[in-house]
Amino acid sequence: MSFDRSIKIAPSILSADFANFGQEIRAIEAQGADWVHVDVMDGHFVPNLTFGPPAVKAFRPHVTTFMDVHLMIAPVDPYIEAYAEAGADMITAHLEAGPHIHRTLQAIKATGKMAGVSLNPGTPAESIADLLDVVDMVLVMTVNPGFGGQKFLPLGIEKTRKIREMIGDRPIHIQVDGGVTPETVGALAAAGGDVFVAGSAVFKGGSVDNPAPYGDNIRAIRAAAVKALK
Ligand code: DX5
Ligand code: ZN
């Protein structure tokens, strides 16, 4: 299959109803989500705690698109196998999570899964220069990781542009995560992002009993991104 750099929307289930993950995942997919983004937090690398491998394994049967697992944990390496077995399609690790990110990315690839590298807002674009041969995706954080609903940090726009230039023709996605809305996504798409994570901007106004707003929200984000590419 040829590499697809078209705009993709990846709702973060961090903003879903925590008592109804299966239904929420099915609802966002029915409403047009391209990927499902799972935020894994350890209360150490980031000040919040979320999903262990058994939770991710329980999400898996509900996902028919692509399950993108964003690990905000340190250390990463001891848990790669467990998240791979839980059914992740892509595993993304933070460059800041340990001294050997290249080894971590190789270990993810060795499981047969796709590998992503994530950059905190304080980490410059140039720091991934020597990782481009081992990654399938670069994740540009536009908030400090740990929570949904934070304010967008515009420094991610220029960082996305630089990374897009560094990537050139390589088949590597650029994902942007944090404060993505119809208002902020245009500049990020124009800069070269292709996968947009959105938590609060997708789930706002809807629920499992009233999922139509999820679709309106996803379409609004996608339309603003596509418009910026014209
Ligand atoms: C933040 C997470 C994000 C978060 C995004 O640490 O990585 O995926 O859920 O939430 P919003 O879209 O509300 O900023
Ligand atoms: Zn995330």
Side-chain angles (χ1 to χ4, degrees), residues 20-151:
N20 285 301
F21 282 115
Q23 271 181 283
E24 289 279 50
I25 289 168
R26 293 197 302 276
I28 51 174
E29 290 197 340
Q31 295 295 327
D34 299 290
W35 291 12
V36 174
H37 184 82
V38 179
D39 285 307
V40 173
M41 304 184 181
D42 68 349
H44 167 73
F45 181 69
V46 292
N48 197 359
L49 273 171
T50 59
F51 314 119
V56 174
K57 189 173 186 175
F59 304 154
R60 180 69 251 185
H62 301 281
V63 178
T64 64
T65 54
F66 186 88
M67 187 162 69
D68 152 37
V69 176
H70 178 190
L71 297 181
M72 288 162 273
I73 66 174
V76 182
D77 297 10
Y79 302 100
I80 291 170
E81 196 65 46
Y83 282 100
E85 275 169 19
D89 293 303
M90 165 95 74
I91 298 178
T92 299
H94 268 263
L95 183 140
E96 306 86 359
H100 298 295
I101 184 66
H102 191 281
R103 174 186 292 153
T104 297
L105 294 166
Q106 284 181 315
I108 295 171
K109 296 292 279 184
T111 67
K113 307 297 183 175
M114 293 173 85
V117 63
S118 181
L119 303 183
N120 279 334
T123 304
E126 292 73 14
S127 56
I128 56 151
D130 293 338
L131 301 173
L132 293 174
D133 291 332
V134 275
V135 293
D136 299 291
M137 185 175 83
V138 179
L139 195 182
V140 177
M141 289 302 302
T142 40
V143 298
N144 285 295
F147 304 95
Q150 301 184 81
K151 195 171 174 319

Side-chain angles (χ1 to χ4, degrees), residues 7-11 175-176 180 185 188-189 193-198 221 225:
I7 299 295
K8 289 164 283 297
I9 309 299
Q175 181 174 65
V176 186
V180 171
V185 78
L188 296 165
D194 65 301
V195 189
F196 295 102
V197 176
I221 299 166

